[in-house]
Amino acid sequence: MEPVLSAYSFDTVVRGGRVATASDVFEADIGIRDGTIVQLGLALPRGEREIDALGRTVTPGGVDAHCHLDQPSPPPIKMADDFDSGTLSAACGGTTTVIPFAAQQKGGSLAAAVSDYHQRADGRSHVDYAFHLIVSDPTAHVLHEELPSLIREGYTSFKAYMTYDDLKLDDGQILDVLDVAKRHGAIAMIHAENSDCIEWLTKRLEGMGRTAPRFHAHSRPMLVEREATHRAIALSELVDVPILIVHVSGREAIEQIRWGRAHGLNIFAETCPQYLFLTAEDLGIDDSYHGAKCVCSPPPRDKANQQVIWDGLRDGLFTVFSSDHAPYNFEGAEGKQPDNQQVAFRHIPNGIPGLETRMALLYSEGVLGGRLSLEKFVELTATGPAKTYGLHPRKGAICIGADADLVIWDERDVVIANAALHHNVDYTPYEGMRLKAWPGCTLLRGEVMWDGRAFVGRRHQGQFLPAGRPSILPRAPSGASFLTSINP
Ligand code: URP
Ligand code: ZN
Ligand code: ZN
């Protein structure tokens, strides 16, 4: 039988937009065939489908490189979003790739955590996805067998926690994990807060009866983040391997990262919307339990620290801007009020929702607010995360050969309302906030998922993306390691 030849060169042309990449902004039509960008230029021939982007900005689909979906929690706590609802909200907010976490349980296997997580994700995701690993029990088997083979199979990033009893590693364990990252070409993400200081402060606060949500911020002052950030940097220096410090909240942690870089160390950093748009006051100015909605770690700081975060976004301190979406309902027994109780702050599940609002918050307040260039916006929300986690240039780029994952922006007044969001969480910390833009169209591999009003895509077409070697890793170790002196 003769093949059916299309009369069109392209399945879709996104026409007339102002195309923004991490390095340039230019007028171009985008020609798409079989889900891939195949041509960029002016006056491209008609496509089978035409999408009008005249006068509007087109950016790569967002890559949210830090979000938690359907991650098992100790009962009765349960995340409100699974892959279905979480990735629906991602698509409607302009994010086309997510990287959530397959978390090892202490005493359990990491490989088993990955296969369990695939069962939760496969066939249920509306956008493409890769997995980070969480290493909570680095036994010899995990370090020498499981991690190396998982890295080879496309899980090239893992998170190590310095806090949370069920997840934290001691310094020796972190060194072991960093050593695996170095030898096998992976990137380690570090949650940097000093666990013992937090526990000591928490007990003191509890002894004084100070258990309302707002005291969560008092139990995790900047000092505990500063100390742990410095320690993580020292551990990375000892092993001579890059690390990425996640969810950096303010000045003192940033100073440590700048110090590390000034000493020639490869320290990367991520921040999140909560450190730009919330403060500790959102955890409550009195003992009201509503502050539980904004309990996350590290906690939001103050206005002065928000400014320091903006400065770091602009000047290259940060490589990645993620949501750290950790979805727990405010009402009900599974979320912020376990067993329907208003509990002491130490028992409030940590985390806030943000997958759907991340892109619009930064576009509106960063780009349209005159704080960030369009190129920097693209770098932070798409290109940087894709490079950092081995997905570039398939993801995070508008170039020939890249997946046609795109956002066309509508610059219009928007008031954030939880009722209009698509996650399964009963609140947003940004309720009532006025923005100047929202994604007017999201395309995943050339198909329209969100048209500015509703999800219109094929459901559950998200594909698993095995990650390659993170492109931020050096090609060869620097050779300047402390280890060379004991192992010449
Ligand atoms: O409070 C937070 N950030 N919860 C999510 C887990 C984490 O540490 O990222
Ligand atoms: Zn964390
Ligand atoms: Zn997180």
Side-chain angles (χ1 to χ4, degrees):
M1 209 158 87
E2 288 291 304
V4 182
L5 290 175
S6 169
Y8 297 97
S9 311
F10 307 111
D11 301 333
T12 303
V13 174
V14 176
R15 193 169 295 283
R18 189 166 69 123
V19 176
T21 70
S23 57
D24 292 295
V25 179
F26 52 92
E27 312 274 314
D29 305 330
I30 303 173
I32 299 167
R33 197 184 314 124
D34 297 330
T36 303
I37 298 174
V38 291
Q39 205 166 337
L40 288 161
L42 295 173
L44 293 190
R46 277 191 70 76
E48 190 167 351
R49 173 175 194 170
E50 292 274 315
I51 297 179
D52 181 13
L54 194 66
R56 294 193 289 168
T57 298
V58 184
T59 62
V63 178
D64 194 337
H66 184 162
C67 56
H68 304 267
L69 298 173
D70 203 6
Q71 190 177 311
S73 311
I77 310 300
K78 191 170 186 306
M79 287 196 165
D81 279 317
D82 59 9
F83 275 84
D84 183 24
S85 60
T87 60
L88 179 72
S89 81
C92 300
T95 288
T96 47
T97 301
V98 293
I99 318 182
F101 295 83
Q104 181 196 17
Q105 309 291 316
K106 278 199 196 291
S109 140
L110 190 53
V114 171
S115 51
D116 170 73
Y117 211 48
H118 270 296
Q119 284 179 21
R120 292 167 189 260
D122 295 352
R124 294 180 59 74
S125 185
H126 300 286
V127 302
D128 290 350
Y129 57 97
F131 292 166
H132 301 298
L133 310 174
I134 291 175
V135 183
S136 66
D137 200 358
T139 59
H141 181 66
V142 167
L143 292 169
H144 303 305
E145 308 289 337
E146 292 195 332
L147 261 179
S149 62
L150 286 165
I151 293 169
R152 279 195 299 275
E153 288 163 25
Y155 309 89
T156 58
S157 50
F158 33 81
K159 185 172 177 188
Y161 283 80
M162 293 174 135
T163 186
Y164 297 137
D165 288 344
D166 52 343
L167 296 172
K168 72 180 177 196
L169 306 186
D170 64 28
D171 292 353
Q173 292 173 313
I174 293 175
L175 287 168
D176 283 340
V177 167
L178 293 183
D179 192 43
V180 173
K182 176 176 176 167
R183 283 187 289 111
H184 297 275
I187 180 79
M189 312 155 77
I190 310 285
H191 178 132
E193 288 185 296
N194 181 311
S195 189
D196 287 350
C197 293
I198 294 167
E199 182 58 24
W200 188 83
L201 285 165
T202 300
K203 283 190 178 135
R204 284 235 153 167
L205 288 159
E206 287 172 342
M208 294 185 282
R210 297 184 174 172
T211 60
R214 68 187 168 112
F215 293 109
H216 173 79
H218 296 243
S219 74
R220 305 174 103 100
M222 185 67 99
L223 176 158
V224 309
E225 186 183 349
R226 183 230 301 159
E227 185 282 328
T229 301
H230 188 86
R231 187 155 36 97
I233 292 168
L235 301 179
S236 134
E237 183 180 7
L238 189 51
V239 178
D240 185 27
V241 68
I243 54 167
L244 182 136
I245 310 283
V246 289
H247 42 51
V248 171
S249 75
R251 181 177 58 80
E252 294 185 31
I254 286 180
E255 285 170 354
Q256 300 310 310
I257 295 162
R258 291 199 197 282
W259 179 91
R261 292 203 182 162
H263 286 76
L265 304 174
N266 271 318
I267 310 299
F268 297 90
E270 170 205 77
T271 194
C272 315
Q274 46 271 39
Y275 307 115
L276 292 175
F277 302 110
L278 302 179
T279 68
E281 289 196 356
D282 290 298
L283 277 72
I285 47 175
D286 57 22
D287 287 355
S288 154
Y289 200 74
H290 278 271
K293 291 178 178 174
C294 293
V295 164
C296 61
S297 297
R301 307 296 180 185
D302 59 15
K303 292 269 178 212
N305 278 292
Q306 291 180 348
Q307 186 52 51
V308 178
I309 297 283
W310 279 116
D311 294 343
L313 287 171
R314 199 173 32 245
D315 72 16
L317 188 278
F318 292 109
T319 307
V320 182
F321 183 74
S322 311
S323 67
D324 194 6
H325 180 84
Y328 298 104
N329 277 321
F330 181 67
E331 303 289 351
E334 297 177 338
K336 298 283 187 177
Q337 304 184 56
D339 289 324
N340 292 312
Q341 305 296 314
Q342 297 198 347
V343 295
F345 71 80
R346 82 147 78 219
H347 301 296
I348 299 172
N350 281 206
I352 61 176
L355 247 175
E356 195 164 349
T357 43
R358 172 187 76 116
M359 295 283 282
L361 281 167
L362 200 67
Y363 190 91
S364 171
E365 302 312 293
V367 178
L368 301 181
R371 295 178 174 100
L372 294 179
S373 68
L374 252 178
E375 292 93 328
K376 187 53 96 176
F377 168 84
V378 171
E379 182 187 323
L380 289 161
T381 58
T383 315
K387 285 185 172 172
T388 301
Y389 298 116
L391 302 176
H392 189 267
R394 176 172 173 190
K395 298 295 182 185
I398 299 181
C399 64
I400 290 167
D403 280 359
D405 296 352
L406 302 169
V407 178
I408 306 172
W409 287 89
D410 276 353
E411 296 186 9
R412 60 180 170 91
D413 293 336
V414 176
V415 180
I416 297 181
N418 198 55
L421 300 180
H422 299 79
H423 61 193
N424 198 29
V425 189
D426 60 2
Y427 75 97
T428 166
Y430 309 108
E431 186 76 33
M433 197 170 156
R434 290 176 182 280
L435 301 186
K436 296 181 272 297
W438 196 266
C441 182
T442 308
L443 287 92
L444 173 70
R445 287 181 267 108
E447 285 196 29
V448 177
M449 310 291 287
W450 163 252
D451 69 0
R453 289 180 303 278
F455 181 84
V456 294
R458 270 189 300 132
R459 293 176 60 75
H460 301 145
Q461 62 161 312
Q463 295 177 358
F464 175 69
L465 305 163
R469 182 183 166 91
S471 29
I472 57 171
L473 296 179
R475 278 177 218 283
S478 71
S481 169
F482 281 92
L483 297 178
T484 49
S485 62
I486 58 166
N487 191 16

